[in-house]
Amino acid sequence: MNKDDVNSFFDHRNIINDISQEESQQKFSYLDSLKAFARATYTSIYVIDYMKQGFEYVSDNPLFLSGNTPEQVLDMGYAFYFKNVPEKDLQLLLKINDAGFSFYETIPLENRLEYTISYDFHLINKEGKKILINQKLTPLLLNKEGKIWKAICLISLSSEKQAGNIKIYRNGENKVYHYSLERGIWEAEQKVTLSKRELEILQLCARGFTINEIAETIFVSPDTVKFHRRKLFERLEVGSITEAIAYAVNNKLI
């Protein structure tokens, strides 16, 4: 691995050479809040600095670290991927990088902070086993030209069966853009829509409620809860409540 390998993750369309004093002051408003959020969530969080072409912050969550400390990952920067992501998925990440910036260029500058890209890839954990993780990347700070200066990444276990599953969402929009690796194009479709009851049951399940506790909370029978759960599994094409919750989180349904 050489410097050019690492730099391949940083698209020429988003190279930032300098930041104004006014823009630089933006960063002080979020890091403390982000660190507090990291302590309260099960997901792994890190921040990419596109000007420095590395990581600015890495949370202390073992899911993303592959046996390293946050400080070691910060020091490695994108070399971390070359060490802990299989070659096939490294190539996938490069394709996602190119497709993502191609899409990003079509977004008006004033809307660029409203979009999130989500995708799945394999990471080699500290035991040397491959795990499929989901990564969501959202622009956090832009420079005056609309290029991404900082981006926040959230990592969780994927609910999918294989790598890929490249999607872009706009906050508040009931639409998702899927990227076809075979055709090399973005395709728009409506998000899965859950009924009020399905959403209610899913949210209670995510809070750890049992079927009987859900039934008592929403004043229905346990059999009614089971019925709605089955319909929910069918709608999301999953086989368990754990998969349903992961799908809902990964696809911003809850």
Side-chain angles (χ1 to χ4, degrees):
M1 181 193 66
N2 55 45
K3 190 175 185 292
D4 289 338
D5 293 327
V6 175
N7 287 344
S8 62
F9 276 99
F10 294 91
D11 196 281
H12 68 278
R13 291 166 290 189
N14 198 69
I15 295 298
I16 295 179
N17 295 316
D18 57 69
I19 291 294
S20 69
Q21 183 177 0
E22 180 182 357
E23 290 168 331
S24 181
Q25 290 173 349
Q26 298 178 84
K27 74 175 185 177
F28 299 109
S29 64
Y30 72 89
L31 268 180
D32 288 341
S33 297
L34 188 61
K35 291 175 183 178
F37 175 67
R39 292 193 294 268
T41 181
Y42 70 94
T43 57
S44 182
I45 302 172
Y46 68 99
V47 175
I48 302 172
D49 185 323
Y50 282 92
M51 184 172 70
K52 296 180 179 178
Q53 299 193 348
F55 302 147
E56 179 181 36
Y57 169 74
V58 176
S59 66
D60 188 11
N61 186 318
L63 176 62
F64 172 65
L65 301 179
S66 298
N68 299 283
T69 66
E71 293 74 22
Q72 287 172 324
V73 176
L74 273 172
D75 185 59
M76 282 187 278
Y78 267 61
F80 170 84
Y81 287 102
F82 286 87
K83 182 178 178 182
N84 297 290
V85 174
E87 177 62 28
K88 182 179 179 181
D89 284 19
L90 272 177
Q91 296 306 314
L92 172 66
L93 291 178
L94 291 173
K95 289 181 181 179
I96 293 171
N97 196 52
D98 180 65
F101 278 112
S102 293
F103 186 99
Y104 188 73
E105 285 187 321
T106 70
I107 303 171
L109 267 62
E110 64 270 19
N111 298 331
R112 290 185 173 183
L113 292 177
E114 301 173 7
Y115 286 80
T116 295
I117 185 169
S118 171
Y119 46 89
D120 301 308
F121 64 96
H122 289 96
L123 191 66
I124 300 172
N125 65 16
K126 64 180 180 180
E127 287 81 27
K129 297 180 180 179
K130 290 195 301 184
I131 58 171
L132 188 63
I133 63 171
N134 173 261
Q135 178 164 290
K136 293 181 179 64
L137 187 152
T138 304
L140 186 63
L141 298 175
L142 308 178
N143 74 350
K144 60 185 178 182
E145 299 171 335
K147 294 180 180 180
I148 303 173
W149 174 26
K150 312 273 189 181
I152 183 172
C153 296
L154 303 181
I155 296 178
S156 58
L157 290 174
S158 173
S159 62
E160 301 289 346
K161 306 299 182 185
Q162 59 186 14
N165 313 302
I166 309 158
K167 307 169 189 175
I168 285 180
Y169 311 87
R170 183 182 180 186
N171 186 40
E173 187 175 70
N174 189 34
K175 186 186 295 184
V176 58
Y177 301 87
H178 291 265
Y179 185 73
S180 170
L181 287 166
E182 294 77 18
R183 301 172 62 192
I185 59 172
W186 290 98
E187 301 170 313
E189 64 180 52
Q190 295 297 310
K191 287 184 183 178
V192 173
T193 302
L194 302 180
S195 69
K196 182 179 179 180
R197 182 65 85 191
E198 289 169 340
L199 189 57
E200 189 175 34
I201 290 173
L202 187 58
Q203 289 170 334
L204 290 170
C205 287
R207 292 169 57 188
F209 281 48
T210 66
I211 289 177
N212 287 338
E213 288 171 338
I214 294 172
E216 292 177 6
T217 301
I218 63 177
F219 306 107
V220 298
S221 71
D223 284 342
T224 299
V225 175
K226 292 177 183 177
F227 169 78
H228 284 297
R229 285 198 357 157
R230 286 196 301 271
K231 299 299 290 184
L232 179 64
F233 293 171
E234 291 174 8
R235 192 186 300 273
L236 300 183
E237 298 181 354
V238 297
S240 70
I241 193 61
T242 301
E243 291 180 356
I245 293 169
Y247 181 97
V249 170
N250 289 342
N251 290 277
K252 293 195 170 182
L253 299 180
I254 58 174

